[in-house]
Amino acid sequence: MSESDAVRELMEADRWIERVSAQRNHLPELEELKNVEEELRSLLKSLHEAEDALSPVEHAYDDAAKEADRLRTRASDLSARLAASTANARELAAISGELDHVRALLAVSEDRELELLLALEPLQEVVARIKERAQPGVARRTSLQSSILELQQTLDDELVSLRAQRQEKALHVSSAVLSRYDAALVRAGTSGAALVDAGRCDGCRIALSPLDLDRWKSQPADSFMACPECGRLLLA
Ligand SMILES: [Zn+2]
């Protein structure tokens, strides 16, 4: 195998690694996950707002219900005392007067309880609806996360094997050329060599000047002129 062929194989191995890495990092599932998470974050914000609106009404309703309960108990105690009482007429009138008062308070309290109950229902419904809307997103997020994990694991395994093959191919390139190749790879990324295609370097896509093109064409075999733009070793 000529040195040019060895460099070409190394370039192809590096380009292949680059493609698989790009695929790993730009999975369509990653983009979709980002969108799903954004939607869930916005639903969570709405949920917090709805819960903030609901919470004071819930507390007020609980307080009103407790107060109505207290008055109901008090009224039934007074009724029982009145029924069983052997007290004199004045005391009976006092108990009966208090009972009327407690019943009046109870009526107001029950109205309040009902009013708050009616206010509570639509607010609870908003909370429930937001939770319901979030459910498919939550399920989709879980399924995307597991697909991404699986796909990336597969691609990572592939990259391990591609990198091993790449190291194998590097052994066929002389150390002087390999160090030039690796330096160009570090500087330019993707690969340390590129093909000349219709007068252009296919690494950086810049056209060679007529002078550079002549220089490149007339260079001795396996001497590897570097692209004046990106520094990659130019191959035919
Ligand atoms: Zn170039």
Side-chain angles (χ1 to χ4, degrees):
M1 186 176 15
S2 74
E3 178 125 69
S4 291
D5 288 341
V7 172
R8 186 194 316 274
E9 285 199 5
L10 187 57
M11 175 192 77
E12 277 161 5
D14 279 332
R15 286 181 169 181
W16 191 247
I17 288 169
E18 177 71 15
R19 269 198 295 277
V20 175
S21 300
Q23 194 191 348
R24 182 203 184 280
N25 298 327
H26 298 95
L27 293 170
E29 286 83 355
L30 284 169
E31 184 62 24
E32 192 189 342
L33 180 63
K34 214 179 95 192
N35 294 336
V36 168
E37 282 177 339
E38 214 163 282
E39 192 200 327
L40 287 176
R41 263 194 300 276
S42 122
L43 283 173
L44 189 64
K45 189 167 167 274
S46 308
L47 181 63
H48 287 156
E49 284 164 5
E51 283 172 340
D52 285 348
L54 172 62
S55 171
V57 182
E58 263 177 344
H59 285 130
Y61 171 76
D62 286 347
D63 289 348
K66 256 181 241 154
E67 178 62 4
D69 263 354
R70 191 187 69 79
L71 292 167
R72 226 171 274 124
T73 307
R74 180 75 185 139
S76 96
D77 286 352
L78 289 168
S79 297
R81 263 176 68 194
L82 205 55
S85 186
T86 51
N88 62 42
R90 248 184 79 189
E91 278 176 53
L92 287 178
I95 294 171
S96 169
E98 192 187 346
L99 181 57
D100 288 346
H101 177 62
V102 168
R103 281 183 175 147
L105 289 178
L106 179 60
V108 171
S109 191
E110 281 175 341
D111 284 351
R112 172 92 181 123
E113 190 184 353
L114 184 63
E115 188 186 301
L116 286 165
L117 184 65
L118 293 176
L120 208 53
E121 277 171 359
L123 294 171
Q124 284 170 331
E125 213 169 283
V126 172
V127 169
R129 221 170 22 236
I130 294 169
K131 286 181 178 170
E132 202 180 289
R133 271 180 60 204
Q135 267 171 12
V138 170
R140 186 68 189 141
R141 180 178 59 184
T142 307
S143 114
L144 282 168
Q145 281 168 336
S146 83
S147 313
I148 288 166
L149 208 64
E150 205 174 301
L151 287 166
Q152 288 190 331
Q153 188 57 60
T154 305
L155 292 170
D156 284 342
D157 291 348
E158 194 180 338
L159 282 169
V160 167
S161 118
L162 287 173
R163 289 198 179 104
Q165 288 166 32
R166 189 262 181 213
Q167 288 317 100
E168 185 69 27
K169 291 188 190 302
L171 295 175
H172 299 123
V173 179
S174 71
S175 63
V177 174
L178 187 60
S179 72
R180 288 179 62 205
Y181 178 98
D182 283 339
L185 171 61
V186 168
R187 199 170 47 239
T190 307
S191 66
L195 299 174
V196 175
D197 177 26
R200 288 173 185 276
C201 162
D202 82 343
C204 63
R205 302 269 157 207
I206 305 280
L208 295 173
S209 69
L211 198 68
D212 283 330
L213 202 54
D214 280 346
R215 247 185 74 213
W216 176 71
K217 279 177 180 160
S218 58
Q219 70 182 340
D222 293 342
S223 63
F224 306 108
M225 181 181 129
C227 169
E229 197 58 40
C230 68
R232 292 185 178 97
L233 308 185
L234 293 173
L235 304 171

